[in-house]
Amino acid sequence: MAHLEIIKGDRVGRVAELTEDRMVIGRHPTSEIVLENAAVSRQHAQVTRTRLGVHHVQDLRSRNGTIVNGTQIKAPTELSDGDEVRICDVLFRFHDTPREDDSVRELPPAEAEPGSGSRGATIELDLDGGSHPHIAESAESTILSKLSVASTALRLDVRPEQKLRAVLRLSSAVANVLNLKNVLSAALDALFELFPQADEGFVILRNAATGDLRVEAARQRNENDESVRVSRTIVNHVLDEGEAVLSADASKQWDESESVSQARLRSMMCVPLLGNGDVRRGMIQLASRGLASQFKQEDLDVFVSVASQVALAVENSSLYEELVRQRDLDRELAFATQVQMGFLPKERPDVPGLEFYDYYEAALSIGGDYFDYLPLPDGRIVFSLGDVAGKGIAAALLMARLYSAARYHVLSQESLAEALASLNREIASGGLGHRFITFVLAAIDPTTGIVTMANAGHLQPIVRRAGGKTEILSTELSGMPLGVVKEQDYEQMELVLEPGDALFLYTDGVTEAMDANRELFRTEGVARFLETAPESLEESVEGLVVEVEKFTGGGRQADDMCVVAVRRLPEGAA
């Protein structure tokens, strides 16, 4: 299997096997390959595998970049056997062949393929109503035994040899079966072999989310019989009391249950299925119609023991199915992340006299912050920044729509204010519910340094003058966010960046970062840091990100974080 081996840096010799189609390398604990180094970004880079087995490494707009064979990469780069990948102080060597020593494994093994089949009731569920019947305590009672499952499930004092054989037989039947439908079918088959007097059986499980009961599997010895009829009276008693019940001539004992009497059940065993923490996940029942083949006390003891194995198999199957669902979701999110990264600019504008820099990091795998660069025919460069309300997939989808729509309106309108107004009409007419977008458009003339700007409810931009003094621009000319009011006019403002001046745009992932005392970093915190920050935009922006991380104490990032900055270079600067 292809793998990355650390050949320089911390933990030399460690190996990370590339078991997934996408594996993120970063500082965040949710990364598949975690590097505990402050210089490493939360999600620094990713290694992806195509269906043909070809691996590529891609930088995820990290602050310090990703280097392959001594060259910093700007796009997904194919990896060949022996290639070296450097992430800050850690140097990996890529191998696309199995390694000789399997004793060291950094990543969990690949999950087994999910079982086939689908869940669902295959019989008609007939749950009659009514309260629990009174269970007589006289000598005429046909209740032969009631056992507490929690206290007797592992008893081996009653016919231990038979009980042990039964447990082993059922465990063997459900071993290596992970699909829930197949688990229950195998369990019923094993129980019918173990109890030849059983004429019918079924398993009812409770939906963990809704609490609804549902027949998940059923079997009848005579295939010509009609659908199994299930009594709510018995189901409620077994689940509410948490007791295993053995009943002889059940049609008389449970006389309030129409389902039992109509089915002519002569003997019946019912056991609750207990999950972790004695949670009653459902029940399993076996029934007999013949007077000569009634269940006995020793049968109930064995049934309770083997039912505990069924409950364990159900628990494991449910956990596995949840794991498979999560894996599928992770794969979808991984693909969505790749698509979203494709919308963001691959390169910053290379314009004489100007310096651009940007930083982007989503709080989740995918985010709702957006930025873009767009050159205009008259030589100006438009740069924009947006923040979609919310996080996750919904915000990312809206961000993707914003990408194409914003470009169209900027190129088709006479001014930035008109572009913002027409973009707002499109967003507000899109049926997005209560979602909105704060958005700022700015265009800079490289020759004059004149910046034209239109703001739709976004945070105040900050200008840093050549001497270090900062100005937080007024919000007086700012309009409503996009998508709030369909008919909205926007105004635009102008300012001049003199040589050495810089303009900073940012999202609330920066200003609303919170420390241990729940104090916010705020816009004023950004301005204070920029006053003493280096002139270089790269050092200023990266330093701001580090300052925010220090402020929060290294806690989890609560919101997407994005910064876009432009600086007019001093005369004579390269």
Side-chain angles (χ1 to χ4, degrees), residues 297-410:
Q297 174 65 46
E298 59 194 34
D299 294 325
L300 182 63
D301 283 298
V302 173
F303 191 34
V304 167
S305 293
V306 297
S308 67
Q309 298 300 303
V310 177
L312 179 61
V314 169
E315 191 83 12
N316 291 338
S317 175
S318 298
L319 291 174
Y320 176 74
E321 290 190 355
E322 179 60 32
L323 183 64
V324 170
R325 284 193 293 270
Q326 186 61 47
R327 184 186 67 178
D328 292 342
L329 177 60
D330 289 343
R331 286 178 175 173
E332 293 296 327
L333 287 175
F335 178 72
T337 301
Q338 289 180 281
V339 172
Q340 185 184 38
M341 295 298 292
F343 284 114
L344 300 178
K346 302 295 186 299
E347 296 180 350
R348 302 177 182 104
D350 184 9
V351 181
L354 296 179
E355 176 189 8
F356 289 87
Y357 196 78
D358 52 69
Y359 175 88
Y360 174 86
E361 187 167 10
L364 304 177
S365 298
I366 53 178
D369 283 2
Y370 155 90
F371 73 97
D372 195 13
Y373 303 111
L374 179 64
L376 295 180
D378 60 9
R380 292 184 299 162
I381 304 296
V382 172
F383 52 104
S384 56
L385 181 65
D387 185 358
V388 178
K391 298 183 287 295
I393 294 177
L397 290 173
L398 188 50
M399 185 276 275
R401 175 177 177 177
L402 181 64
Y403 169 81
S404 57
R407 287 190 160 215
Y408 168 76
H409 291 290
V410 167

